[in-house]
Amino acid sequence: MASSRAAMSDWSDMRYYMYVSESKVGMLFQQIPQKLLQQLATEAKVDLKVLSLAVQKEANPEPSLYGRLDVVEEYLDREYSIGWMTEPTTWFRGELGLQIAGYESVTGPVFMTGRQARTVVALIGSAHHLLGHNAPTESILGCYSMLPPLFQLLREARENWHIVPPDSRTRVLDGPWNEQQALIDVLDFSRGMKSPPVKCEFLARRLLHGAHVADSGVVDIVIGTPLYVAMAEDENA
């Protein structure tokens, strides 16, 4: 599947965002060579005057979070081979019904998961990046966009995250790191989600990818941390 968002004609230019990682957007935006910013801004349809002022480090105005996100996405499209969720590269896209847990705590993690055929996608991020979830910076205890917080979540949060009682295959992660067992734990955790799915499109950074041979066949498990998650277009609208 083509990685360029320009090739995805069924995706709307105007997105209804549910999650945007401001920290990732800011980190990546600052690393884009300035000589490319004007061109990328044009491709992303971001106001050139606003972007020019930002490049010159004038106080105001600055490009909005969504303007910077568009520029970052254009840069990733240009410089990386962005994969699809069924064949994820370093950065990958997807469109999937996601079950979401983590609305309860603004300062904690958010977990999003969904399945298409034999591919299970699990996304981990910080709940304060959910739209409408604002928290003072000092109240946020850590970064949740990496693997350690995900497996801490698997140890501690089943009862509070709408998870059904684990079956006999699920263990507590109290032993040494084992990638295969970690993938199984993520799969079991995803299977236990009870919240209704929301059809979403997303762009994420891959953290871990592997396969597990289940009773029903081989399951590909993709773990990532999202740059953004947006509600997908309603095909029936």
Side-chain angles (χ1 to χ4, degrees):
M1 181 173 293
S3 64
S4 172
R5 62 177 175 170
M8 298 179 184
S9 58
D10 57 326
W11 284 21
S12 172
D13 288 335
M14 182 174 288
R15 296 183 177 124
Y16 193 97
Y17 290 105
M18 300 175 62
Y19 176 102
V20 178
S21 176
E22 187 170 1
S23 56
K24 293 188 191 73
V25 171
M27 174 183 66
L28 296 169
F29 184 82
Q30 293 298 324
Q31 296 179 66
I32 298 174
Q34 291 191 4
K35 63 182 180 180
L36 288 179
L37 283 176
Q38 292 278 343
Q39 180 179 347
L40 291 169
T42 300
E43 294 172 0
K45 301 178 182 178
V46 175
D47 190 293
L48 291 177
K49 181 179 179 181
V50 170
L51 187 60
S52 177
L53 290 172
V55 171
Q56 295 170 24
K57 298 183 179 180
E58 294 186 17
N60 285 300
E62 294 183 352
S64 70
L65 170 61
Y66 304 111
R68 284 179 283 137
L69 172 60
D70 285 344
V71 173
V72 167
E73 188 173 4
E74 287 290 344
Y75 182 75
L76 293 176
D77 269 322
R78 180 189 181 107
E79 300 296 327
Y80 290 81
S81 177
I82 299 179
W84 190 248
M85 61 186 183
T86 53
E87 297 179 353
T89 52
T90 301
W91 289 93
F92 65 95
R93 284 193 171 94
E95 186 169 316
L96 197 60
L98 292 177
Q99 294 174 285
I100 303 173
Y103 286 101
E104 295 88 347
S105 175
V106 177
T107 59
V110 59
F111 181 81
M112 301 174 245
T113 186
R115 179 167 183 164
Q116 178 178 294
R118 68 186 188 99
T119 299
V120 172
V121 177
L123 303 176
I124 182 74
S126 299
H128 72 276
H129 293 312
L130 288 166
L131 272 293
H133 277 49
N134 296 315
T137 303
E138 62 272 14
S139 68
I140 300 169
L141 301 179
C143 172
Y144 297 101
S145 296
M146 296 179 288
L147 288 176
L150 172 59
F151 296 108
Q152 183 72 19
L153 166 66
L154 296 180
R155 282 194 294 267
E156 298 178 351
R158 294 183 187 278
E159 292 184 0
N160 298 325
W161 282 53
H162 310 300
I163 304 302
V164 299
D167 61 30
S168 59
R169 294 169 300 166
T170 303
R171 68 181 181 96
V172 177
L173 291 177
D174 54 3
W177 166 261
N178 179 294
E179 181 175 310
Q180 187 61 37
Q181 185 60 54
L183 292 169
I184 294 171
D185 285 314
V186 169
L187 178 60
D188 283 347
F189 191 77
S190 299
R191 284 170 171 166
M193 293 283 290
K194 295 190 296 183
S195 58
V198 179
K199 187 176 181 183
C200 298
E201 61 183 69
F202 56 85
L203 173 59
R205 177 66 160 79
R206 186 188 62 196
L207 297 176
L208 187 64
H209 177 214
H212 169 61
V213 181
D215 295 339
S216 57
V218 178
V219 179
D220 284 328
I221 304 162
V222 184
I223 304 172
T225 183
L227 184 64
Y228 72 79
V229 178
M231 292 182 68
E233 288 296 305
D234 186 351
E235 297 176 354
N236 297 321

